[in-house]
Amino acid sequence: MTDLPSQRPGSELRAGHADREEVAERLREAAGDGRIDLEELEERLERAFTAKTYGELDALTADLPDPGAPGRPPRPQSQLQPQPQPSQEPMVLRTVAGDIRQTGYWVVPERIVAKSALGQIRIDFTRAECRHREVHLELDAGMGEIRIVVPRGWSVRTDGLSCGFGSVRNRVTEPPAPGMPVLRLTGSSKAGTVVVRYPFRWPGRRSED
C-alpha cells in the first residue's frame, strides 16, 4: 500500500479503547465506500487497535474525508463548557412486531428498558456517549429479538437474565478495561433471542446466528 499521510502535529495524548474503535469504524466505512481496499483496511485496522496516541490514530484517517480527530477534546479541559446532565428518566424502547434501532451518537441514560413482543430491537453503544460507571438494561424478549452491541473494553453481566424457551448469547468475552462501563442485563427471554456482541471488525460481515 502507499505511505499514509503524516500525522497532524500536536497529539501525543494517550488514546483509549473508544478512540480506537471510532477510528476502526471510520476505516470500515471508507472500505465500504471504496476509498481503501480490503488489504489496506486490514493493515490500518491492525495499526488502529495497537495505537497508543491520538497522533498514531490521526495518521490512519488523515487522507479520508470528513470527521476531525477521533474522540479528542477540541479544546483544553479548562476551556470546555459544562455539559448538561442526562435525564434521570429511563429510555424505553418498545415494539410489537416492528424494528427499533438505537444507533449512532446518543447519550446513554443510567437505565434502559427494551421490550420486544415479535419485532427486533438493536441497541448499539459503539458511538454513544456514556457518563455512567454502570448502565442497567431491563429486557423483555417475548418472541422477538434484542441485539446489543458494546465497544471493546466494556463488560456485560447477564446473570440477572432469566430464560424460558428463548436464548441468551453473550459474546463479550474479552477482559474489561479499567474505568470502562459495566452493562448489567436483567429481565427475561421468554421465547425470544438476546445477543450481546462487539462491533464486527470487517465491513459487510453478517452475524453467525
Side-chain angles (χ1 to χ4, degrees):
M1 59 173 275
T2 58
D3 292 337
L4 292 174
S6 59
Q7 68 183 48
R8 291 183 286 276
S11 213
E12 296 181 357
L13 295 175
R14 288 276 177 162
H17 291 289
D19 304 308
R20 299 183 189 97
E21 194 61 53
E22 185 173 344
V23 168
E25 185 62 26
R26 283 193 63 198
L27 294 173
R28 296 183 193 106
E29 291 176 358
D33 292 339
R35 301 184 190 279
I36 57 178
D37 59 33
L38 290 181
E39 181 179 355
E40 190 171 5
L41 172 65
E42 182 177 359
E43 181 177 337
R44 292 199 190 195
L45 283 175
E46 182 177 355
R47 291 171 61 182
F49 285 113
T50 57
K52 292 183 171 57
T53 66
Y54 285 123
E56 293 175 32
L57 292 176
D58 280 349
L60 298 174
T61 57
D63 59 345
L64 300 178
D66 205 14
R72 180 191 313 175
R75 293 165 294 183
Q77 187 67 30
S78 60
Q79 299 180 25
L80 290 177
Q81 297 296 320
Q83 297 295 318
Q85 293 299 314
S87 170
Q88 297 302 311
E89 292 294 322
M91 172 185 289
V92 179
L93 307 173
R94 181 183 292 111
T95 180
V96 176
D99 291 351
I100 296 178
R101 293 178 177 268
Q102 183 67 37
T103 62
Y105 173 82
W106 54 289
V107 178
V108 180
E110 193 170 11
R111 182 167 170 258
I112 303 171
V113 178
K115 298 184 178 183
S116 175
L118 292 169
Q120 183 186 84
I121 296 177
R122 176 187 172 93
I123 307 174
D124 191 338
F125 293 90
T126 305
R127 297 186 179 179
E129 179 180 350
C130 183
R131 305 169 185 170
H132 306 287
R133 183 66 185 89
E134 289 191 0
V135 177
H136 298 267
L137 178 50
E138 180 183 333
L139 305 179
D140 184 355
M143 297 179 65
E145 181 180 72
I146 300 177
R147 291 184 171 270
I148 302 158
V149 183
V150 300
R152 284 178 166 76
W154 282 42
S155 60
V156 177
R157 298 292 303 273
T158 60
D159 48 317
L161 277 176
S162 62
C163 187
F165 293 102
S167 64
V168 175
R169 293 190 284 275
N170 181 13
R171 295 182 176 141
V172 177
T173 57
E174 296 178 5
M180 296 293 278
V182 177
L183 183 62
R184 296 189 179 274
L185 306 186
T186 60
S188 64
S189 174
K190 298 180 179 68
T193 301
V194 176
V195 177
V196 190
R197 63 170 176 83
Y198 298 117
F200 292 137
R201 291 185 183 275
W202 308 110
R205 177 180 172 184
R206 294 181 177 275
S207 170
E208 297 173 355
D209 303 323

